[in-house]
Amino acid sequence: MHKAGFVNIIGNPNVGKSTLMNAFVGEKLSIITSKAQTTRHRILGIVNGENFQVILSDTPGIIKPAYELQESMMDFVKSAFEDADVLVYMVEIGEKDLKDEAFFKKITNSKIPVLLLLNKIDQSNQEQLEEQVTLWQAKVPNAEVYPISALEGFQVETVFDRIIELLPESPPFYPKDQLTDKPERFFVNETVREKILLNYKKEIPYAVEVDTEEFFEEENIIRIRSVIMVERDTQKGIIIGHKGSALKRVGVEARKDLETFFGKQIHLELYVKVNKNWRSNANQLKRFGYNQK
């Protein structure tokens, strides 16, 4: 008997969805930072076993959209309800509601199995934990509630075993050696974007998109050329920094992660271009993989 199915992870921004998926997959597929709205796309991670294939989908955090890019991000979340065999709804200790009431109703009315994961319990005490479990059992009576710590790995294996139990019998949807549905360039873009999130403050990280224009793989080295898009000239100056120091730091940090990810030496060239108001431009968003309706 072989089981296979789609497991879609949803929740507010920064509750640990990407950390959980990476813990399940065992590879760093989704970028993880302490800033909200890190994930912009829906990213598939595939976990294969002899008798199962779990196709995990990490989605952007649920927000009320303020501009075109965020509308597109929420379309990725909406699509997570359409093909799920199991829905994983993540909250964190201290959280009491979802930012969008319509999404919350979809979860509580779901006909598919719902696992509600109460994350970051390593930051709580027993009394608070018991209160939170009771609260969420009442709010989402159709869900199985699991207290977890995705970062520490607590109960992650238990949840994964339960997911396999809930999956339907099915042959695999993807080749058994496949880890994700995304191309190599996507992970280059995400890695560079993660380093920008970590190294810059305020609006800068959210005004940035990365486009990998060249990706040449040779026997011992991968040569990559990526462009960092910003919305204004002032942002370009901040990204580059004094005598190029800030951009160089991003490049060094990204290269190290990419060498680990691809298992090869990386030659990474980064450039910065101004692409005015790309977050509100439907054509630009489509080019970057958003607005795929």
Side-chain angles (χ1 to χ4, degrees):
M1 184 181 74
H2 190 279
K3 290 187 158 196
F6 293 81
V7 179
N8 299 341
I9 307 168
I10 63 170
N12 283 346
N14 214 28
V15 294
K17 298 183 295 296
S18 297
T19 307
L20 178 74
M21 190 170 98
N22 290 339
F24 282 154
V25 177
E27 289 278 351
K28 197 175 172 196
L29 294 182
S30 293
I31 65 174
I32 303 165
T33 75
S34 59
K35 292 186 175 153
Q37 293 179 49
T38 304
T39 302
R40 287 179 177 170
H41 295 262
R42 191 175 165 197
I43 301 166
L44 292 191
I46 304 163
V47 186
N48 292 294
E50 193 177 335
N51 301 314
F52 67 83
Q53 183 176 78
V54 180
I55 302 144
L56 296 149
S57 176
D58 178 23
T59 58
I62 295 167
I63 52 172
K64 286 190 175 167
Y67 45 83
E68 188 88 17
L69 169 63
Q70 291 182 338
E71 294 275 3
S72 181
M73 285 161 62
M74 289 308 94
D75 287 339
F76 287 127
V77 181
K78 286 172 191 167
S79 71
F81 286 92
E82 291 163 13
D83 59 13
D85 295 297
V86 178
L87 199 61
V88 172
Y89 171 36
M90 281 191 81
V91 297
E92 64 180 348
I93 284 286
E95 207 173 338
K96 293 196 165 73
D97 59 339
L98 197 67
K99 289 198 169 100
D100 188 308
E101 198 59 39
F103 276 120
F104 194 72
K105 281 187 178 156
K106 275 190 170 187
I107 294 161
T108 53
N109 294 327
S110 174
K111 298 287 186 283
I112 57 171
V114 178
L115 302 183
L116 191 148
L117 308 187
L118 181 55
N119 193 27
K120 305 185 183 178
I121 63 164
D122 48 303
Q123 299 173 14
S124 72
N125 57 43
Q126 190 62 33
E127 185 183 353
Q128 186 188 20
L129 178 57
E130 287 171 9
E131 280 174 10
Q132 289 271 287
V133 168
T134 304
L135 171 85
W136 286 107
Q137 281 173 334
K139 270 185 175 285
V140 194
N142 58 315
E144 297 176 29
V145 179
Y146 289 86
I148 71 159
S149 171
L151 192 62
E152 302 292 334
F154 178 73
Q155 286 250 85
V156 168
E157 201 171 324
T158 304
V159 171
F160 192 76
D161 289 345
R162 181 61 181 140
I163 285 169
I164 293 171
E165 285 174 10
L166 292 168
L167 288 182
E169 284 185 44
S170 168
F173 291 89
Y174 292 91
K176 281 288 196 132
D177 58 354
Q178 194 167 333
L179 195 67
T180 181
D181 67 328
K182 297 292 183 189
E184 287 101 336
R185 290 178 191 226
F186 177 83
F187 293 102
V188 175
N189 298 346
E190 289 292 274
T191 302
V192 173
R193 204 164 64 78
E194 177 188 51
K195 301 314 170 191
I196 291 167
L197 277 157
L198 291 169
N199 281 289
Y200 300 88
K201 294 176 182 174
K202 297 183 179 173
E203 175 64 11
I204 293 290
Y206 304 104
V208 162
E209 187 60 65
V210 182
D211 184 27
T212 295
E213 295 184 337
E214 293 178 5
F215 185 100
F216 296 117
E217 187 163 4
E218 299 170 16
E219 191 176 345
N220 299 315
I221 192 170
I222 302 173
R223 301 183 188 280
I224 300 167
R225 184 182 191 275
S226 300
V227 176
I228 298 167
M229 302 282 185
V230 293
E231 292 193 308
R232 296 192 293 278
D233 287 316
T234 51
Q235 293 166 346
K236 179 177 179 179
I238 293 167
I239 290 282
I240 293 170
H242 181 61
K243 293 185 177 177
S245 58
L247 184 62
K248 185 179 179 183
R249 185 168 60 245
V250 166
V252 168
E253 291 178 10
R255 181 178 53 77
K256 284 178 182 172
D257 276 16
L258 290 169
E259 285 181 340
T260 302
F261 188 80
F262 290 111
K264 272 190 179 181
Q265 188 183 340
I266 300 287
H267 175 77
L268 176 65
E269 291 179 35
L270 293 179
Y271 298 86
V272 187
K273 283 184 184 174
V274 177
N275 188 341
K276 286 197 166 75
N277 300 320
W278 68 265
R279 287 184 293 177
S280 302
N281 184 314
N283 289 332
Q284 291 293 332
L285 288 169
K286 198 159 191 179
R287 175 189 162 192
F288 294 136
Y290 306 100
N291 283 2
Q292 298 291 348
K293 290 182 283 186

